[in-house]
């Protein structure tokens, strides 16, 4: 009491077995320190390689002694590494033991091969921490993989996104990396980002530059679960929400329309069809799995009350001249009352919306309506409101919107806008999807580059931005995650980084031209062998 704060970590006085011991098969490991200790999440933070059954291991700290009861037979001629990271701390202040590691061999020699590299994360979430990622090696004759069991050798990634696996026995291995959010030491195929090396890695010398790009994508193949009438409509239920839907029938787009919901496809008919009619259905998920099926659907009379028609608008958008209005409905729209649909920009002035201003994002669905409207600078107002009275829109089931719609949009002045931001992409070949993101990572603009490597965004609102590039190798105009079964890597993404600061933010002010930006492609997932 009253003395200086204890800032010294625990110091090891004795290890049983001793570090670097040979020909030893301990039943337990005992480490004695110079002060009382405590454990911090030992099951997660103590990394043991090669793989042992951690469910059988009992770890206890009593006074100044750590004891690890293994409760299993260790393999012959194998080097074991116990990396304690920051799991052992002093009792009073929580100072972790520094660089604490125990290495011993059950055979005549210590395996000394090493694999090092780095990990990148595509589309990181706000709470994702790269230090929660794991890199693991599985022997080629191992019947498990990253989704089934923990790896034989593993390492946790550090805060600089680097990793090092040491004391590896020479052999052939499969290599994986994954975001181990639930601390299971294996990847969750639905929810955790992961990556892999396609080819077997032969480790007979030190390997440097192993690189992984983590991406998230549900690896469970898409399947049709069931289909049945619901009221006068017809619903197809899937095990996951499809990315692409192709329905073939002569009535699709004229008499029958569809919407895509959470894990389902809803079919709507303008009229009752008592007899079953066939649809050829093809659905594809985000990782590239697809299903073809023949569906027989009925659209029968029903006393079930139709779902109410709802509308959501992209209200709050800022614009310059081209007003980007988009209305999303929960069901296909068949009729619009143009007398009650208009754009208001002061208490008395309005612009009537006419049919030629409208278009559906997908005419087979008719659930997303776009209003294309040019607002010239001669109209000296900033705030514009799209107004739609109740009963303006009628859906395919005869339901009208019961609630009036009001969506506001702000017109920007040209002098407040940046003239242009432009640059080029190096180290990759297109096509490219180039995305302009705000400081929160939200998409503001997007352009598609079929050929070449030059990009440009014009008349941009003053703010801080980031730029992300997606390498669209399959030319489907969207990013595709990895497919584990087909051993297909995720499409690469890379961001602009200032070469001097390493920062990705780009400051834009009114009247500025920002040019000659260079966006360099991140490394491919792969390996570089150290020949030294």
């Amino acid at each position: 009491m009253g003395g200086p704060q204890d800032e010294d970590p625990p110091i090891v006085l004795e290890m049983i077995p001793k570090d670097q011991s040979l020909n030893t098969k301990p039943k337990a490991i005992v480490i004695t320190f110079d002060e009382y200790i405590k454990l911090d999440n030992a099951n997660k933070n103590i990394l043991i390689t090669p793989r042992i059954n951690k469910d059988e291991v009992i770890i206890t700290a009593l006074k100044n002694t750590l004891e690890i009861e293994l409760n299993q037979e260790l393999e012959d001629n194998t080097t074991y590494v116990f990396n304690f990271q920051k799991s052992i701390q002093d009792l009073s202040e929580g100072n972790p033991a520094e660089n604490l590691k125990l290495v011993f061999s059950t055979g005549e020699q210590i395996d000394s091969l090493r694999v090092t590299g780095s990990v990148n994360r595509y589309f990181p979430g706000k709470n994702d921490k790269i230090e929660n990622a794991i890199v693991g090696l599985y022997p080629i004759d191992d019947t498990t993989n990253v989704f089934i069991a923990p790896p034989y050798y593993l390492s946790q990634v550090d805060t600089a996104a680097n990793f090092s696996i040491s004391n590896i026995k020479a052999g052939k291995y499969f290599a994986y990396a994954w975001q181990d959010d639930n601390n299971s030491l294996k990847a969750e195929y639905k929810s955790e980002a992961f990556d892999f090396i396609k080819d077997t890695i032969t480790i007979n010398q030190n390997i440097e530059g192993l690189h992984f790009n983590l991406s998230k994508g549900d690896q469970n193949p898409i399947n049709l679960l069931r289909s049945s009438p619901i009221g006068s409509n017809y619903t197809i239920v899937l095990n996951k929400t499809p990315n692409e839907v192709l329905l073939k029938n002569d009535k699709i787009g004229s008499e029958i329309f569809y919407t895509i919901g959470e894990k389902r496809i809803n079919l709507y008919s303008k009229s009752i069809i008592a007899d079953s009619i066939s649809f050829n259905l093809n659905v594809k998920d985000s990782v590239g799995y697809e299903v073809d099926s023949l569906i027989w659907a009925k659209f029968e009379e029903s006393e079930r009350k139709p779902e109410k028609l709802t509308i959501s608008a992209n209200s709050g958008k800022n614009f310059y001249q081209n007003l980007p209005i988009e209305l999303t409905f929960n069901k296909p729209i068949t009729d619009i009352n143009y007398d009650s649909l208009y754009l208001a920009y002061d208490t008395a002035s309005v612009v009537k919306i006419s049919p030629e201003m409208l278009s559906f994002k997908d005419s087979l669905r008719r659930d997303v309506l776009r209003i294309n409207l040019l607002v010239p600078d001669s109209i000296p107002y900033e705030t514009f409101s799209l107004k739609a009275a109740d009963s303006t829109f009628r859906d395919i089931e005869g339901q009208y919107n019961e609630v009036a719609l009001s969506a506001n949009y702000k017109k920007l002045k040209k002098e407040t806008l940046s003239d242009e931001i432009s640059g080029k992409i190096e180290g990759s070949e297109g096509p490219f999807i180039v995305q302009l993101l705000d400081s929160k990572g939200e998409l503001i603009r997007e352009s598609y580059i079929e050929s070449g490597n030059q990009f440009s965004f014009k008349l941009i609102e003053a703010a801080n931005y980031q730029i992300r590039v997606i390498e669209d190798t399959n030319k489907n105009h969207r990013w595709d995650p990895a497919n584990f079964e087909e051993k297909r890597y995720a499409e690469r993404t890379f961001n602009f980084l200032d070469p001097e600061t390493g920062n990705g933010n780009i400051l834009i002010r009114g009247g500025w031209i920002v040019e000659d930006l260079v966006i360099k492609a991140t490394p491919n997932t792969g390996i570089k062998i150290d020949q030294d």
Side-chain angles (χ1 to χ4, degrees), residues 96-209:
E98 296 178 347
N99 303 316
L100 182 56
K101 184 185 291 188
L102 170 62
V103 180
F104 64 86
S105 175
T106 60
E108 296 285 346
Q109 63 182 15
I110 299 288
D111 295 321
S112 59
L113 293 175
R114 183 182 70 253
V115 173
T116 61
S118 59
V119 175
N120 178 42
R121 174 71 195 262
Y122 294 155
F123 304 99
K126 292 181 180 179
N127 298 321
D128 288 337
K129 295 180 179 179
I130 197 65
E131 60 265 32
N132 287 338
I134 297 287
V135 177
L137 301 176
Y138 292 73
I140 191 172
D141 57 356
D142 196 333
T143 57
T144 64
N145 61 46
V146 69
F147 298 110
I148 298 173
Y152 194 70
Y153 293 105
L154 64 87
S155 171
Q156 195 140 13
V157 178
D158 64 25
T159 54
N162 298 314
F163 69 90
S164 176
I165 306 176
S166 61
N167 300 101
I168 303 170
K169 182 184 295 186
K172 294 184 177 182
Y173 297 88
F174 296 112
Y176 305 89
W178 67 99
Q179 192 80 24
D180 193 29
D181 294 325
N182 63 357
N183 302 323
S184 67
L185 297 183
K186 58 182 180 179
E188 302 299 327
Y189 68 93
K190 286 187 177 181
S191 59
E192 291 180 343
F194 75 99
D195 195 17
F196 53 87
I197 305 299
K198 288 181 182 180
D199 302 318
T200 303
I201 298 175
T202 300
I203 302 178
N204 51 25
Q205 59 183 324
N206 291 339
I207 293 178
E208 295 180 349

Side-chain angles (χ1 to χ4, degrees), residues 226-442:
R226 64 183 184 275
S227 61
S228 61
I230 295 183
S232 58
N233 308 313
Y234 197 84
T235 295
I236 301 165
V237 180
L238 307 154
N239 65 327
K240 60 198 297 190
T241 303
N243 268 52
E244 296 180 17
V245 174
L246 179 61
L247 277 164
K248 291 184 178 180
N249 180 282
D250 292 341
K251 296 180 182 294
I252 289 287
S254 57
E255 295 295 321
I256 297 174
F257 302 88
Y258 70 94
T259 62
I260 300 175
E262 181 70 21
K263 299 182 181 180
R264 64 185 58 230
I265 303 166
N266 301 308
L267 296 172
Y268 299 86
S269 175
K270 284 185 175 181
S271 58
I272 299 302
I273 305 175
D275 295 331
S276 296
I277 60 173
S278 63
F279 294 85
N280 290 310
L281 172 67
N282 176 274
V283 291
K284 184 179 291 187
D285 64 16
S286 62
V287 297
Y289 293 119
E290 60 182 309
V291 171
D292 288 297
S293 184
L294 182 66
I295 302 295
W296 291 88
K298 285 185 177 182
F299 301 90
E300 303 173 308
E301 291 277 6
S302 175
E303 296 181 357
R304 180 172 177 154
K305 189 175 181 180
E307 182 182 6
K308 290 183 178 181
L309 175 63
T310 61
I311 315 169
S312 61
N314 61 340
S315 184
K317 290 284 187 181
N318 296 340
F319 72 100
Y320 175 68
Q321 292 188 336
N322 292 300
L323 180 53
I325 299 174
E326 190 169 279
L327 306 180
T328 302
F329 303 85
N330 62 326
K331 291 185 285 183
I333 297 301
T334 56
D335 296 295
I336 300 172
N337 180 7
Y338 291 94
D339 292 337
S340 57
L341 182 63
Y342 58 90
L343 187 72
Y345 55 89
D346 70 7
T347 55
S349 301
V350 300
V351 175
K352 298 295 291 182
I353 304 298
S354 56
E356 61 270 13
M357 298 177 183
L358 306 183
S359 62
F360 284 103
K361 184 177 180 179
D362 187 336
S363 61
L364 304 182
R365 296 173 55 176
R366 296 177 67 96
D367 59 345
V368 178
L369 182 65
R370 289 171 171 170
I371 301 177
N372 306 300
L373 194 59
L374 179 66
V375 180
D377 291 340
S378 57
I379 300 179
Y381 292 93
E382 290 187 0
T383 302
F384 293 78
S385 298
L386 178 72
K387 302 288 186 180
D390 60 280
S391 301
T392 297
F393 301 100
R394 181 175 182 269
D395 68 32
I396 196 166
E397 294 186 290
Q399 302 295 300
Y400 290 92
N401 61 299
E402 297 180 357
V403 179
L405 173 71
S406 180
N408 296 322
Y409 302 87
K410 181 181 178 182
K411 187 175 186 294
L412 302 172
K413 295 180 180 179
K414 189 175 187 301
E415 57 268 24
T416 67
L417 303 178
S418 166
D419 288 341
E420 185 180 17
I421 177 171
S422 63
K424 63 180 179 180
I425 302 158
E426 292 185 349
S428 176
E429 296 183 359
F432 300 112
I433 303 168
V434 184
Q435 298 177 328
L436 186 68
L437 313 173
D438 66 15
S439 59
K440 297 179 180 179
E442 299 294 329

